[in-house]
Amino acid sequence: SQTIHQWPATLVQPVGSPLSLECTVEGTSNPNLYWYRQAAGRGLQLLFYSVGIGQISSEVPQNLSASRPQDRQFILSSKKLLLSDSGFYLCAWNTGTGVRHEQFFGPGTRLTVL
Amino acid sequence: AQSVTQLGSHVSVSEGALVLLRCNYSSSVPPYLFWYVQYPNQGLQLLLKYTTGATLVKGINGFEAEFKKSETSFHLTKPSAHMSDAAEYFCAVSHSGTYKYIFGTGTRLKVLA
């Protein structure tokens, strides 16, 4: 069966510090991978998605970046965190055959920037 | 462009009462529609989805939703609320030809004893 992991589960970082959040998927190959940010009252904001190794699509211009160094690994990064980067970050995957299939979400990372 | 509107950021119902969570979408092409549930500090879990075929879709935990093209709606219902249904619910839309899903802002359901 497929599983998705995210770490860390919680993170408290000072403004201006770097960020690296990792997401890995097991039990499937060539998944589509997604990063979302969830802020209170704003639903899920799609940040990045990837349909293959090294292929990253950015949805929102900001100080975050994403990389996919391996088929089942998706990393969210920042060089300098802002207060507004606080939120709940969710990684998700779905089968590469398309969006008629649901997404499977990881447990999330709660990021607090102070 | 696609969009999703969830009316009511907070809904309260009594235990045993009908649950109705509203979702309206905007799409110029046939949509794929999803309802997800999120418990505190967890990821989202799929409740049900509509892609094609029967417009009344049954999901897990006794929930169901009906796709009404004429009303551009996909409301979520459950005949009898249970305390364990208290959570946040998200409606999402997508369509063929894209890899993206658009989510609504969510509805937090509170179940009163």
Side-chain angles (χ1 to χ4, degrees), chain B residues 26-94:
Chain B
S26 172
S27 180
S28 59
V29 296
Y32 301 142
L33 296 159
F34 306 83
W35 274 102
Y36 289 86
V37 61
Q38 184 182 33
Y39 298 99
N41 294 310
Q42 295 184 26
L44 279 68
Q45 177 186 3
L46 182 74
L47 281 176
L48 48 80
K49 67 178 181 181
Y50 168 80
T51 53
T52 58
T55 56
L56 182 62
V57 180
K58 295 186 184 297
I60 63 172
N61 301 338
F63 285 94
E64 63 181 35
E66 187 171 9
F67 170 57
K68 292 187 176 181
K69 183 178 179 181
S70 61
E71 298 177 8
T72 62
S73 68
F74 191 56
H75 302 331
L76 182 71
T77 61
K78 181 175 181 177
S80 177
H82 191 272
M83 297 298 289
S84 61
D85 295 326
E88 190 157 21
Y89 293 79
F90 291 91
C91 182
V93 64
S94 188

Side-chain angles (χ1 to χ4, degrees), chain A residues 20-40:
Chain A
S20 181
L21 303 182
E22 190 164 343
C23 171
T24 58
V25 180
E26 296 177 356
T28 188
S29 60
N30 196 29
N32 299 323
L33 295 171
Y34 302 79
W35 278 113
Y36 292 90
R37 178 168 58 205
Q38 186 176 14

Side-chain angles (χ1 to χ4, degrees), chain A residues 34-108:
Chain A
Y34 302 79
W35 278 113
Y36 292 90
R37 178 168 58 205
Q38 186 176 14
R42 297 185 62 184
L44 271 69
Q45 179 185 32
L46 178 62
L47 301 175
F48 303 93
Y49 67 94
S50 171
V51 301
I53 297 175
Q55 300 179 59
I56 307 295
S57 295
S58 175
E59 288 298 300
V60 183
Q62 55 202 337
N63 67 322
L64 299 173
S65 62
S67 62
R68 185 171 177 174
Q70 301 180 40
D71 181 44
R72 291 169 290 177
Q73 183 184 31
F74 205 24
I75 297 172
L76 182 69
S77 304
S78 175
K79 293 182 178 179
K80 290 185 177 181
L81 283 169
L82 307 173
L83 286 174
S84 57
D85 291 324
S86 293
F88 192 52
Y89 288 81
L90 289 162
C91 181
W93 73 274
N94 75 342
T95 175
T97 56
V99 294
R100 65 184 294 119
H101 303 284
E102 67 269 26
Q103 294 181 302
F104 298 92
F105 285 81

